[in-house]
Amino acid sequence: MTYKAGQRLPAERASRLGHLEVLKSELVNKLIKSFEEPTFNIPSKNPNWQAIPTGGIPLSIVFGIDGAMQPIESESPPYKRLAFVKTALLRIDQFALSKIDKESPHPFALRDILSDSALYHATVFPLQHVSIPGVSSYHAIRKIIFDSLKLDLDGEALETLKWIAYEKWDGKRKGLPIFECPHCEETVATLPYDAEKGNCPKCKGELFITDMLGFHLEMAPDSAPNSVAMAYMNIHEVLLLFTGVRYYWEKNKDILSKCLFVKDGPLAIRAQYSKLVNPIRRFIKHAKEQGYPIHIIGQEKTGRFCEHLELIGRNAPEGHIFIPSNQYIKEEIQHRPITGAPYGKDTNYGAKVFVKLNNFHQMVLNIPTGEFMENPQIYDLIGVENIFETLPTILSNRYEGALLPIELGNGIASLSTYPSTQILKIFAEARGI
Ligand SMILES: [Zn+2]
């Protein structure tokens, strides 16, 4: 089906293109016409909307997790490039939530929440033409990644990485799975149980536990792409979330099962960094089996799933959710053949869930199922009744489908709470680094 003109793109934008003198070529005009009339495939299968399960208990403690990454490049050669990363975890209880005006939150109420119960982390990476004497960018960034986890927040993020990587909850004292050594590039590197540093068995080069994630696979000797900083931000968000989980798991499991963790973005870790996905799934499954379901949601705000919800959400019944199967995702959302590995098998630790609460609030959530499921069903979503009982209490009415913990987290993590980009830039250049 073709989207009706003007429904997605303003008509002015299309007509403005027509005024340009350069558009005289027949081919160009043909192409432009095709750009102006995007076609969207209406799903050939009917989404299976199901009523939101009821009877849950609202979760009394809600955590929001968010991050931001800002690359800064100097405007003249040699084009130095730094990337600042900030992440935040904030805690909101139902009492605090009840005090917040959902239409226009009072800045002081927000400030109180943020000052009492938020953790912040910030770091900076020298991506290009910025050197630390005697060390290549490659090794400097490796060291900064390790130190950022070790030195900030009392080393809790590093402890959480160890807890996940060594699966410390199961008591089996496993070593790390073998990974590629950042020095000799042989896939022989590992570390013994609970170690955070060690040496490559082949070349004896120093290894950090953070090397297992494979940041170095994206880097050149003297520069690194922005995606390294972005990957660090994503990993750090996961570590903050699971620092909360680990804390209550070790101190008070009953409280853990009364928490809702709300993460900005999908519950997924891409490419080589996805090594943490299987341990995370195993922990979530283990905790459920022990009688302590862990409530986590990730909210996707951009991408194909959100676009698909725009398409199917308008005809969906209120108070319903739809969990797409592997086949539905591949055929209707990704438009690729059904063959090959199931969608998300290596990277996702949450199932995709389309949610239509009412005509104003619809959203794409990710909710864990423990072990990977190709075709998750409604009661495979861990804590589904409690999550949906809590959701109405954390809605923000400022934006469509917005959740307060993410909105507040955004405020903390966004680089607008830093000095402005311009000041950061002056700072970076004035230091001569
Ligand atoms: Zn080596």
Side-chain angles (χ1 to χ4, degrees):
M1 186 189 80
T2 313
Y3 255 62
K4 280 177 199 142
Q7 204 161 338
R8 271 181 76 85
L9 288 175
E12 295 82 5
R13 198 162 153 190
S15 64
R16 222 175 269 152
L17 283 174
H19 294 304
L20 294 176
E21 291 261 337
V22 291
L23 303 181
K24 284 182 178 161
S25 138
E26 199 182 322
L27 173 66
V28 170
N29 274 309
K30 221 171 174 179
L31 285 169
I32 294 290
K33 199 155 187 283
S34 72
F35 300 157
E36 288 176 344
E37 292 176 6
T39 53
F40 289 87
N41 298 324
I42 198 161
S44 57
K45 290 186 181 57
N46 271 336
N48 176 24
W49 291 97
Q50 296 170 278
I52 288 175
T54 53
I57 300 162
L59 299 159
S60 48
I61 309 170
V62 181
F63 290 91
I65 299 103
D66 201 358
M69 192 280 281
Q70 175 76 59
I72 312 279
E73 190 160 352
S74 60
E75 277 158 12
S76 51
Y79 301 112
K80 297 171 190 174
R81 185 158 43 88
L82 302 174
F84 292 84
V85 172
K86 195 171 179 188
T87 58
L89 172 137
L90 61 103
R91 191 193 70 220
I92 321 168
D93 55 31
Q94 288 291 350
F95 177 69
L97 275 172
S98 67
K99 286 196 302 185
I100 295 179
D101 182 337
K102 305 281 196 308
E103 303 289 342
S104 54
H106 193 284
F108 287 172
L110 298 184
R111 185 199 59 190
D112 290 349
I113 287 179
L114 301 185
S115 63
D116 288 351
S117 29
L119 291 177
Y120 315 89
H121 167 68
T123 193
V124 58
F125 296 105
L127 295 184
Q128 186 175 280
H129 299 314
V130 182
S131 60
I132 293 176
V135 193
S136 68
S137 292
Y138 178 90
H139 291 297
I141 292 173
R142 283 182 53 233
K143 181 86 166 58
I144 289 170
I145 290 170
F146 178 77
D147 285 348
S148 298
L149 299 189
K150 171 95 180 153
L151 303 178
D152 201 11
L153 301 175
D154 298 326
E156 292 294 337
L158 188 69
E159 279 307 311
T160 301
L161 175 61
K162 285 162 64 181
W163 188 75
I164 297 173
Y166 294 111
E167 303 189 35
K168 286 175 136 186
W169 56 85
D170 75 0
K172 289 183 187 160
R173 305 180 65 85
K174 294 183 280 268
L176 285 188
I178 285 174
F179 58 94
E180 190 191 296
C181 170
H183 305 279
C184 67
E185 296 177 15
E186 299 272 339
T187 310
V188 292
T190 182
L191 290 173
Y193 179 75
D194 210 22
E196 51 193 53
K197 281 185 189 178
N199 295 92
C200 169
K202 183 150 186 279
C203 72
K204 308 295 173 209
E206 185 178 41
L207 300 175
F208 303 123
I209 185 173
T210 40
D211 290 327
M212 75 165 278
L213 296 167
F215 291 97
H216 57 282
L217 302 177
E218 284 198 77
M219 294 191 256
D222 286 312
S223 70
N226 292 347
S227 57
V228 166
M230 195 51 114
Y232 175 86
M233 181 197 87
N234 286 325
I235 294 282
H236 203 275
E237 287 175 345
V238 173
L239 295 179
L240 277 184
L241 192 165
F242 281 93
T243 295
V245 170
R246 177 175 63 87
Y247 179 86
Y248 290 115
W249 182 255
E250 288 168 352
K251 309 263 188 243
N252 189 333
K253 295 186 175 70
D254 289 321
I255 294 186
L256 178 57
S257 285
K258 291 176 185 156
C259 295
L260 174 62
F261 295 88
V262 184
K263 183 185 162 303
D264 192 7
L267 300 181
I269 310 177
R270 71 176 180 88
Q272 69 262 37
Y273 309 101
S274 66
K275 280 176 192 150
L276 297 181
V277 166
N278 274 321
I280 286 172
R281 286 175 184 158
R282 284 194 281 267
F283 172 71
I284 292 172
K285 178 171 183 260
H286 172 75
K288 188 187 168 195
E289 285 169 355
Q290 300 285 308
Y292 300 101
I294 297 176
H295 306 91
I296 304 176
I297 56 178
Q299 186 184 23
E300 296 189 25
K301 293 189 297 197
T302 56
R304 283 186 165 190
F305 287 84
C306 291
E307 288 164 17
H308 194 75
L309 179 60
E310 278 180 36
L311 198 62
I312 62 171
R314 66 184 77 144
N315 295 323
E318 292 187 37
H320 280 63
I321 62 175
F322 164 48
I323 310 164
S325 65
N326 174 54
Q327 186 177 3
Y328 186 98
I329 291 174
K330 284 185 174 172
E331 289 181 351
E332 308 294 345
I333 301 174
Q334 297 188 311
H335 306 293
R336 68 180 174 107
I338 181 79
T339 51
Y343 172 80
K345 185 170 186 292
D346 296 326
T347 52
N348 295 6
Y349 57 98
K352 306 283 177 186
V353 184
F354 295 105
V355 181
K356 173 134 173 192
L357 289 180
N358 53 46
N359 285 327
F360 189 63
H361 286 296
Q362 57 180 27
M363 60 193 82
V364 178
L365 297 183
N366 294 185
I367 304 178
T369 56
E371 63 194 5
F372 176 74
M373 288 184 179
E374 202 172 313
N375 299 307
Q377 304 299 312
I378 207 161
Y379 288 102
D380 294 327
L381 307 175
I382 291 178
V384 65
E385 300 108 317
N386 296 344
I387 288 173
F388 281 101
E389 204 63 45
T390 313
L391 212 53
T393 68
I394 58 169
L395 289 174
S396 159
N397 286 331
R398 285 210 291 186
Y399 309 101
E400 186 181 331
L403 299 176
L404 267 172
I406 290 180
E407 211 182 307
L408 292 174
N410 253 303
I412 308 180
S414 82
L415 287 131
S416 64
T417 56
Y418 271 116
S420 75
T421 305
Q422 187 58 28
I423 295 173
L424 279 178
K425 214 162 166 175
I426 289 166
F427 169 73
E429 286 176 1
R431 294 278 303 268
I433 53 175

